Each structure stands twice: as structure tokens, then as C-alpha cells.
Amino acid sequence: MTFICGVPSAELPPSSNSVVILRWLCPLCSDQDQMPGEECGLCLGRGAITQDTADTWLTMAEPGDPPLRPAPVPPAVMRSPCRDCAFRPGAPEEDEQPPVERPFYCHHGMPVVNGAYAPTAWADGKPLGAMVCRGWWAAATGEPLPAEAYRPANDGWGRP
Ligand SMILES: [Zn+2]
């Protein structure tokens, strides 16, 4: 699975054009400080690596090399999928789930204007302060999707 969508690795991060997920802590430098002026050849000083880099690492790893450990989930990702998460079985979006190439936000707490979600603050085309959907995070990182079936919220807009 590719976790770098549409940009060569030299461009990450930052990039406002795509999602880049550094899913694994760098096995070479995440537990130690680098010497001043020295850059880790695996993570290029980021401290974490993409799935593609991890796959390459695993093909070259030798016995005794440090194991891969998952990077922390960012604090703006919902802790668990909502009962009406778009990534649950039976969700209205089940046949056409939101693409993993761009961030997808949880609708809970988002204002609705004329039947559409209407965030009140934006930055770089993204709703400022909105929480990232936990189901989307699972899809984007290759985790299992939420197993429990979709249960609609009472008003259809995520409000209990
Ligand atoms: Zn490193």
C-alpha cells in the first residue's frame, strides 16, 4: 500500500497537495539523538518513516536490527470510529468511501448550513480544528476498518 500519494518523497513534508503518513518510528534514530549536523539516512531526520520506507527496511533488515514500532496516532484523529462512521459496514458511503489520498473529517460538531457541513474556519483548504475521521485513518494506514455496523444518528447529521 502506498502512503505517499502523488508526491515524490523529496517533497514531504510539508506539502498541501496530499496526505503523507509517517506510520512507523524510525528504527535507526527514534530512540537516540543524532550527532549535530548528522542526518539519519533512513528517515532524513524526521524520526518516522512511511510504509514504503518501512517495507524497504524490512527487506534489508538483519537479525538483531531494531523492530518497527508504530508512530503515535496524531491527537486530531478521533480516538474511535463514530457509530455513524462512513467506514462502517452499511454506511451510506459504503460503496463509495472517501478517498485515502486526502484527509477526511468527522462530521460530529460541524455546523450544518442548508443541508451541508459548513466549517467556520479554513486553512490551506482544510477545515481548521476539525477532527480527522478514525475510520478514514484506519483506511489510510492499512488498519482493519471498523467492524461494527453503521448506526445512523437521530437527525442524520451526526447530532444525537
Ligand atoms: Zn532516522
Side-chain angles (χ1 to χ4, degrees), residues 1-4 12 20-25 48-59 68 70 140-143:
M1 180 177 290
T2 296
F3 293 91
I4 309 167
L12 63 103
V20 176
I21 297 176
L22 303 175
R23 185 169 179 211
W24 302 98
L25 295 176
I49 57 176
T50 62
Q51 184 66 51
D52 287 346
T53 304
D55 291 343
T56 302
W57 163 261
L58 289 173
T59 62
L68 284 177
T141 59
E143 291 177 10

PDB file of all heavy atoms in Angstrom, residues 1-4 12 20-25 48-59 68 70 140-143:
ATOM      1  N   MET A   1       0.850  -1.196   0.000  1.00  0.00           N
ATOM      2  CA  MET A   1       0.000   0.000   0.000  1.00  0.00           C
ATOM      3  C   MET A   1       0.881   1.239   0.000  1.00  0.00           C
ATOM      4  O   MET A   1       1.903   1.289   0.653  1.00  0.00           O
ATOM      5  CB  MET A   1      -0.912  -0.015   1.231  1.00  0.00           C
ATOM      6  CG  MET A   1      -1.816   1.194   1.277  1.00  0.00           C
ATOM      7  SD  MET A   1      -2.942   1.151   2.677  1.00  0.00           S
ATOM      8  CE  MET A   1      -4.010  -0.194   2.165  1.00  0.00           C
ATOM      9  N   THR A   2       0.460   2.225  -0.736  1.00  0.00           N
ATOM     10  CA  THR A   2       1.235   3.458  -0.826  1.00  0.00           C
ATOM     11  C   THR A   2       0.700   4.486   0.145  1.00  0.00           C
ATOM     12  O   THR A   2      -0.494   4.709   0.220  1.00  0.00           O
ATOM     13  CB  THR A   2       1.161   4.020  -2.258  1.00  0.00           C
ATOM     14  OG1 THR A   2       1.779   3.090  -3.124  1.00  0.00           O
ATOM     15  CG2 THR A   2       1.879   5.344  -2.352  1.00  0.00           C
ATOM     16  N   PHE A   3       1.591   5.095   0.893  1.00  0.00           N
ATOM     17  CA  PHE A   3       1.182   6.114   1.839  1.00  0.00           C
ATOM     18  C   PHE A   3       1.631   7.494   1.408  1.00  0.00           C
ATOM     19  O   PHE A   3       1.363   8.466   2.046  1.00  0.00           O
ATOM     20  CB  PHE A   3       1.720   5.782   3.233  1.00  0.00           C
ATOM     21  CG  PHE A   3       1.076   4.564   3.782  1.00  0.00           C
ATOM     22  CD1 PHE A   3       1.643   3.323   3.561  1.00  0.00           C
ATOM     23  CD2 PHE A   3      -0.111   4.659   4.460  1.00  0.00           C
ATOM     24  CE1 PHE A   3       1.026   2.197   4.043  1.00  0.00           C
ATOM     25  CE2 PHE A   3      -0.728   3.517   4.953  1.00  0.00           C
ATOM     26  CZ  PHE A   3      -0.150   2.295   4.735  1.00  0.00           C
ATOM     27  N   ILE A   4       2.339   7.550   0.306  1.00  0.00           N
ATOM     28  CA  ILE A   4       2.731   8.835  -0.250  1.00  0.00           C
ATOM     29  C   ILE A   4       1.932   8.981  -1.522  1.00  0.00           C
ATOM     30  O   ILE A   4       2.132   8.227  -2.456  1.00  0.00           O
ATOM     31  CB  ILE A   4       4.220   8.877  -0.576  1.00  0.00           C
ATOM     32  CG1 ILE A   4       5.036   8.415   0.629  1.00  0.00           C
ATOM     33  CG2 ILE A   4       4.626  10.248  -1.038  1.00  0.00           C
ATOM     34  CD1 ILE A   4       6.468   8.120   0.308  1.00  0.00           C
ATOM     35  N   LEU A  12       8.268  15.690   0.800  1.00  0.00           N
ATOM     36  CA  LEU A  12       7.491  15.572   2.023  1.00  0.00           C
ATOM     37  C   LEU A  12       8.344  15.797   3.248  1.00  0.00           C
ATOM     38  O   LEU A  12       9.522  15.524   3.199  1.00  0.00           O
ATOM     39  CB  LEU A  12       6.822  14.203   2.099  1.00  0.00           C
ATOM     40  CG  LEU A  12       7.715  12.968   2.176  1.00  0.00           C
ATOM     41  CD1 LEU A  12       7.756  12.421   3.586  1.00  0.00           C
ATOM     42  CD2 LEU A  12       7.203  11.931   1.238  1.00  0.00           C
ATOM     43  N   VAL A  20       0.464  12.687   3.716  1.00  0.00           N
ATOM     44  CA  VAL A  20       1.684  11.923   3.962  1.00  0.00           C
ATOM     45  C   VAL A  20       1.594  11.393   5.388  1.00  0.00           C
ATOM     46  O   VAL A  20       1.431  12.170   6.327  1.00  0.00           O
ATOM     47  CB  VAL A  20       2.943  12.804   3.814  1.00  0.00           C
ATOM     48  CG1 VAL A  20       4.191  12.008   4.169  1.00  0.00           C
ATOM     49  CG2 VAL A  20       3.034  13.369   2.408  1.00  0.00           C
ATOM     50  N   ILE A  21       1.640  10.093   5.532  1.00  0.00           N
ATOM     51  CA  ILE A  21       1.562   9.493   6.860  1.00  0.00           C
ATOM     52  C   ILE A  21       2.878   8.780   7.155  1.00  0.00           C
ATOM     53  O   ILE A  21       3.256   7.850   6.450  1.00  0.00           O
ATOM     54  CB  ILE A  21       0.372   8.516   6.964  1.00  0.00           C
ATOM     55  CG1 ILE A  21      -0.939   9.281   6.777  1.00  0.00           C
ATOM     56  CG2 ILE A  21       0.392   7.799   8.322  1.00  0.00           C
ATOM     57  CD1 ILE A  21      -2.180   8.411   6.763  1.00  0.00           C
ATOM     58  N   LEU A  22       3.549   9.264   8.171  1.00  0.00           N
ATOM     59  CA  LEU A  22       4.768   8.612   8.631  1.00  0.00           C
ATOM     60  C   LEU A  22       4.331   7.629   9.713  1.00  0.00           C
ATOM     61  O   LEU A  22       4.185   7.976  10.876  1.00  0.00           O
ATOM     62  CB  LEU A  22       5.760   9.654   9.171  1.00  0.00           C
ATOM     63  CG  LEU A  22       6.140  10.750   8.160  1.00  0.00           C
ATOM     64  CD1 LEU A  22       7.031  11.791   8.813  1.00  0.00           C
ATOM     65  CD2 LEU A  22       6.803  10.166   6.927  1.00  0.00           C
ATOM     66  N   ARG A  23       4.072   6.411   9.281  1.00  0.00           N
ATOM     67  CA  ARG A  23       3.365   5.454  10.124  1.00  0.00           C
ATOM     68  C   ARG A  23       4.245   4.776  11.164  1.00  0.00           C
ATOM     69  O   ARG A  23       3.753   4.299  12.186  1.00  0.00           O
ATOM     70  CB  ARG A  23       2.730   4.390   9.222  1.00  0.00           C
ATOM     71  CG  ARG A  23       1.895   3.434  10.012  1.00  0.00           C
ATOM     72  CD  ARG A  23       1.056   2.543   9.163  1.00  0.00           C
ATOM     73  NE  ARG A  23       0.324   1.650  10.039  1.00  0.00           N
ATOM     74  CZ  ARG A  23      -0.035   0.430   9.723  1.00  0.00           C
ATOM     75  NH1 ARG A  23       0.237  -0.035   8.538  1.00  0.00           N
ATOM     76  NH2 ARG A  23      -0.677  -0.317  10.581  1.00  0.00           N
ATOM     77  N   TRP A  24       5.540   4.705  10.921  1.00  0.00           N
ATOM     78  CA  TRP A  24       6.420   3.946  11.802  1.00  0.00           C
ATOM     79  C   TRP A  24       7.514   4.844  12.363  1.00  0.00           C
ATOM     80  O   TRP A  24       8.046   5.691  11.651  1.00  0.00           O
ATOM     81  CB  TRP A  24       7.070   2.796  11.026  1.00  0.00           C
ATOM     82  CG  TRP A  24       6.079   1.864  10.430  1.00  0.00           C
ATOM     83  CD1 TRP A  24       5.624   1.871   9.135  1.00  0.00           C
ATOM     84  CD2 TRP A  24       5.383   0.811  11.083  1.00  0.00           C
ATOM     85  NE1 TRP A  24       4.685   0.889   8.951  1.00  0.00           N
ATOM     86  CE2 TRP A  24       4.513   0.213  10.131  1.00  0.00           C
ATOM     87  CE3 TRP A  24       5.391   0.310  12.386  1.00  0.00           C
ATOM     88  CZ2 TRP A  24       3.680  -0.851  10.450  1.00  0.00           C
ATOM     89  CZ3 TRP A  24       4.550  -0.754  12.694  1.00  0.00           C
ATOM     90  CH2 TRP A  24       3.715  -1.325  11.734  1.00  0.00           C
ATOM     91  N   LEU A  25       7.860   4.653  13.617  1.00  0.00           N
ATOM     92  CA  LEU A  25       9.021   5.331  14.162  1.00  0.00           C
ATOM     93  C   LEU A  25      10.253   4.828  13.425  1.00  0.00           C
ATOM     94  O   LEU A  25      10.332   3.659  13.050  1.00  0.00           O
ATOM     95  CB  LEU A  25       9.147   5.045  15.662  1.00  0.00           C
ATOM     96  CG  LEU A  25       8.019   5.580  16.542  1.00  0.00           C
ATOM     97  CD1 LEU A  25       8.230   5.128  17.991  1.00  0.00           C
ATOM     98  CD2 LEU A  25       7.936   7.093  16.451  1.00  0.00           C
ATOM     99  N   ALA A  48      10.466   9.423  11.829  1.00  0.00           N
ATOM    100  CA  ALA A  48       9.446   8.431  11.499  1.00  0.00           C
ATOM    101  C   ALA A  48       9.487   8.206   9.987  1.00  0.00           C
ATOM    102  O   ALA A  48      10.003   9.040   9.240  1.00  0.00           O
ATOM    103  CB  ALA A  48       8.063   8.906  11.939  1.00  0.00           C
ATOM    104  N   ILE A  49       8.948   7.071   9.556  1.00  0.00           N
ATOM    105  CA  ILE A  49       9.052   6.690   8.141  1.00  0.00           C
ATOM    106  C   ILE A  49       7.696   6.256   7.587  1.00  0.00           C
ATOM    107  O   ILE A  49       6.798   5.861   8.333  1.00  0.00           O
ATOM    108  CB  ILE A  49      10.081   5.551   7.948  1.00  0.00           C
ATOM    109  CG1 ILE A  49       9.716   4.334   8.798  1.00  0.00           C
ATOM    110  CG2 ILE A  49      11.494   6.047   8.282  1.00  0.00           C
ATOM    111  CD1 ILE A  49      10.621   3.125   8.591  1.00  0.00           C
ATOM    112  N   THR A  50       7.579   6.329   6.271  1.00  0.00           N
ATOM    113  CA  THR A  50       6.355   5.900   5.594  1.00  0.00           C
ATOM    114  C   THR A  50       6.326   4.368   5.509  1.00  0.00           C
ATOM    115  O   THR A  50       7.324   3.685   5.769  1.00  0.00           O
ATOM    116  CB  THR A  50       6.307   6.456   4.163  1.00  0.00           C
ATOM    117  OG1 THR A  50       7.413   5.919   3.435  1.00  0.00           O
ATOM    118  CG2 THR A  50       6.349   7.983   4.160  1.00  0.00           C
ATOM    119  N   GLN A  51       5.177   3.845   5.090  1.00  0.00           N
ATOM    120  CA  GLN A  51       5.051   2.402   4.897  1.00  0.00           C
ATOM    121  C   GLN A  51       6.016   1.918   3.819  1.00  0.00           C
ATOM    122  O   GLN A  51       6.633   0.856   3.961  1.00  0.00           O
ATOM    123  CB  GLN A  51       3.609   2.044   4.523  1.00  0.00           C
ATOM    124  CG  GLN A  51       3.354   0.550   4.402  1.00  0.00           C
ATOM    125  CD  GLN A  51       3.492  -0.159   5.749  1.00  0.00           C
ATOM    126  OE1 GLN A  51       2.898   0.265   6.741  1.00  0.00           O
ATOM    127  NE2 GLN A  51       4.274  -1.228   5.791  1.00  0.00           N
ATOM    128  N   ASP A  52       6.178   2.683   2.755  1.00  0.00           N
ATOM    129  CA  ASP A  52       7.098   2.276   1.684  1.00  0.00           C
ATOM    130  C   ASP A  52       8.520   2.144   2.207  1.00  0.00           C
ATOM    131  O   ASP A  52       9.226   1.186   1.898  1.00  0.00           O
ATOM    132  CB  ASP A  52       7.063   3.292   0.530  1.00  0.00           C
ATOM    133  CG  ASP A  52       5.781   3.197  -0.283  1.00  0.00           C
ATOM    134  OD1 ASP A  52       5.048   2.188  -0.128  1.00  0.00           O
ATOM    135  OD2 ASP A  52       5.518   4.120  -1.064  1.00  0.00           O
ATOM    136  N   THR A  53       8.954   3.115   3.007  1.00  0.00           N
ATOM    137  CA  THR A  53      10.301   3.054   3.575  1.00  0.00           C
ATOM    138  C   THR A  53      10.409   1.876   4.533  1.00  0.00           C
ATOM    139  O   THR A  53      11.433   1.181   4.574  1.00  0.00           O
ATOM    140  CB  THR A  53      10.640   4.376   4.285  1.00  0.00           C
ATOM    141  OG1 THR A  53      10.487   5.452   3.359  1.00  0.00           O
ATOM    142  CG2 THR A  53      12.070   4.372   4.802  1.00  0.00           C
ATOM    143  N   ALA A  54       9.342   1.645   5.302  1.00  0.00           N
ATOM    144  CA  ALA A  54       9.340   0.510   6.232  1.00  0.00           C
ATOM    145  C   ALA A  54       9.456  -0.806   5.470  1.00  0.00           C
ATOM    146  O   ALA A  54      10.199  -1.709   5.887  1.00  0.00           O
ATOM    147  CB  ALA A  54       8.063   0.529   7.076  1.00  0.00           C
ATOM    148  N   ASP A  55       8.747  -0.915   4.359  1.00  0.00           N
ATOM    149  CA  ASP A  55       8.833  -2.142   3.561  1.00  0.00           C
ATOM    150  C   ASP A  55      10.256  -2.363   3.066  1.00  0.00           C
ATOM    151  O   ASP A  55      10.769  -3.492   3.091  1.00  0.00           O
ATOM    152  CB  ASP A  55       7.857  -2.069   2.378  1.00  0.00           C
ATOM    153  CG  ASP A  55       6.403  -2.134   2.826  1.00  0.00           C
ATOM    154  OD1 ASP A  55       6.142  -2.560   3.975  1.00  0.00           O
ATOM    155  OD2 ASP A  55       5.525  -1.749   2.029  1.00  0.00           O
ATOM    156  N   THR A  56      10.893  -1.284   2.618  1.00  0.00           N
ATOM    157  CA  THR A  56      12.284  -1.393   2.156  1.00  0.00           C
ATOM    158  C   THR A  56      13.190  -1.811   3.307  1.00  0.00           C
ATOM    159  O   THR A  56      14.044  -2.693   3.161  1.00  0.00           O
ATOM    160  CB  THR A  56      12.754  -0.038   1.586  1.00  0.00           C
ATOM    161  OG1 THR A  56      11.872   0.320   0.516  1.00  0.00           O
ATOM    162  CG2 THR A  56      14.183  -0.122   1.067  1.00  0.00           C
ATOM    163  N   TRP A  57      12.990  -1.183   4.460  1.00  0.00           N
ATOM    164  CA  TRP A  57      13.774  -1.528   5.658  1.00  0.00           C
ATOM    165  C   TRP A  57      13.636  -3.017   5.981  1.00  0.00           C
ATOM    166  O   TRP A  57      14.608  -3.698   6.263  1.00  0.00           O
ATOM    167  CB  TRP A  57      13.318  -0.661   6.829  1.00  0.00           C
ATOM    168  CG  TRP A  57      13.722  -1.163   8.185  1.00  0.00           C
ATOM    169  CD1 TRP A  57      12.950  -1.865   9.065  1.00  0.00           C
ATOM    170  CD2 TRP A  57      15.004  -1.014   8.813  1.00  0.00           C
ATOM    171  NE1 TRP A  57      13.649  -2.156  10.201  1.00  0.00           N
ATOM    172  CE2 TRP A  57      14.921  -1.637  10.077  1.00  0.00           C
ATOM    173  CE3 TRP A  57      16.198  -0.415   8.434  1.00  0.00           C
ATOM    174  CZ2 TRP A  57      15.990  -1.685  10.967  1.00  0.00           C
ATOM    175  CZ3 TRP A  57      17.261  -0.457   9.327  1.00  0.00           C
ATOM    176  CH2 TRP A  57      17.155  -1.094  10.570  1.00  0.00           C
ATOM    177  N   LEU A  58      12.400  -3.515   5.941  1.00  0.00           N
ATOM    178  CA  LEU A  58      12.159  -4.905   6.311  1.00  0.00           C
ATOM    179  C   LEU A  58      12.830  -5.880   5.340  1.00  0.00           C
ATOM    180  O   LEU A  58      13.257  -6.961   5.743  1.00  0.00           O
ATOM    181  CB  LEU A  58      10.655  -5.176   6.390  1.00  0.00           C
ATOM    182  CG  LEU A  58       9.956  -4.513   7.586  1.00  0.00           C
ATOM    183  CD1 LEU A  58       8.447  -4.690   7.505  1.00  0.00           C
ATOM    184  CD2 LEU A  58      10.493  -5.056   8.909  1.00  0.00           C
ATOM    185  N   THR A  59      12.924  -5.497   4.061  1.00  0.00           N
ATOM    186  CA  THR A  59      13.571  -6.411   3.107  1.00  0.00           C
ATOM    187  C   THR A  59      15.081  -6.459   3.335  1.00  0.00           C
ATOM    188  O   THR A  59      15.715  -7.435   2.971  1.00  0.00           O
ATOM    189  CB  THR A  59      13.299  -6.002   1.646  1.00  0.00           C
ATOM    190  OG1 THR A  59      13.841  -4.696   1.417  1.00  0.00           O
ATOM    191  CG2 THR A  59      11.823  -6.016   1.328  1.00  0.00           C
ATOM    192  N   LEU A  68      10.316  -2.608  13.983  1.00  0.00           N
ATOM    193  CA  LEU A  68       9.481  -1.447  13.658  1.00  0.00           C
ATOM    194  C   LEU A  68       8.453  -1.252  14.761  1.00  0.00           C
ATOM    195  O   LEU A  68       7.831  -2.204  15.218  1.00  0.00           O
ATOM    196  CB  LEU A  68       8.763  -1.666  12.330  1.00  0.00           C
ATOM    197  CG  LEU A  68       9.609  -1.500  11.077  1.00  0.00           C
ATOM    198  CD1 LEU A  68       8.766  -1.821   9.847  1.00  0.00           C
ATOM    199  CD2 LEU A  68      10.190  -0.102  10.977  1.00  0.00           C
ATOM    200  N   PRO A  70       5.051   1.280  15.778  1.00  0.00           N
ATOM    201  CA  PRO A  70       4.146   2.265  15.167  1.00  0.00           C
ATOM    202  C   PRO A  70       4.347   3.660  15.738  1.00  0.00           C
ATOM    203  O   PRO A  70       4.595   3.821  16.937  1.00  0.00           O
ATOM    204  CB  PRO A  70       2.747   1.733  15.490  1.00  0.00           C
ATOM    205  CG  PRO A  70       2.922   0.732  16.565  1.00  0.00           C
ATOM    206  CD  PRO A  70       4.338   0.246  16.541  1.00  0.00           C
ATOM    207  N   ALA A 140      -6.500   4.732   5.664  1.00  0.00           N
ATOM    208  CA  ALA A 140      -5.290   5.353   5.123  1.00  0.00           C
ATOM    209  C   ALA A 140      -4.021   4.696   5.648  1.00  0.00           C
ATOM    210  O   ALA A 140      -2.969   4.817   5.036  1.00  0.00           O
ATOM    211  CB  ALA A 140      -5.277   6.849   5.452  1.00  0.00           C
ATOM    212  N   THR A 141      -4.100   4.001   6.772  1.00  0.00           N
ATOM    213  CA  THR A 141      -2.901   3.392   7.349  1.00  0.00           C
ATOM    214  C   THR A 141      -2.906   1.873   7.223  1.00  0.00           C
ATOM    215  O   THR A 141      -1.995   1.217   7.730  1.00  0.00           O
ATOM    216  CB  THR A 141      -2.751   3.759   8.843  1.00  0.00           C
ATOM    217  OG1 THR A 141      -3.905   3.314   9.550  1.00  0.00           O
ATOM    218  CG2 THR A 141      -2.558   5.252   9.022  1.00  0.00           C
ATOM    219  N   GLY A 142      -3.922   1.319   6.581  1.00  0.00           N
ATOM    220  CA  GLY A 142      -3.951  -0.126   6.396  1.00  0.00           C
ATOM    221  C   GLY A 142      -4.431  -0.897   7.606  1.00  0.00           C
ATOM    222  O   GLY A 142      -4.318  -2.113   7.658  1.00  0.00           O
ATOM    223  N   GLU A 143      -5.001  -0.184   8.603  1.00  0.00           N
ATOM    224  CA  GLU A 143      -5.593  -0.880   9.750  1.00  0.00           C
ATOM    225  C   GLU A 143      -6.924  -1.504   9.315  1.00  0.00           C
ATOM    226  O   GLU A 143      -7.522  -1.065   8.340  1.00  0.00           O
ATOM    227  CB  GLU A 143      -5.894   0.113  10.879  1.00  0.00           C
ATOM    228  CG  GLU A 143      -4.695   0.699  11.558  1.00  0.00           C
ATOM    229  CD  GLU A 143      -5.117   1.730  12.606  1.00  0.00           C
ATOM    230  OE1 GLU A 143      -6.315   1.843  12.924  1.00  0.00           O
ATOM    231  OE2 GLU A 143      -4.218   2.426  13.101  1.00  0.00           O
TER     232      GLU A 143
END
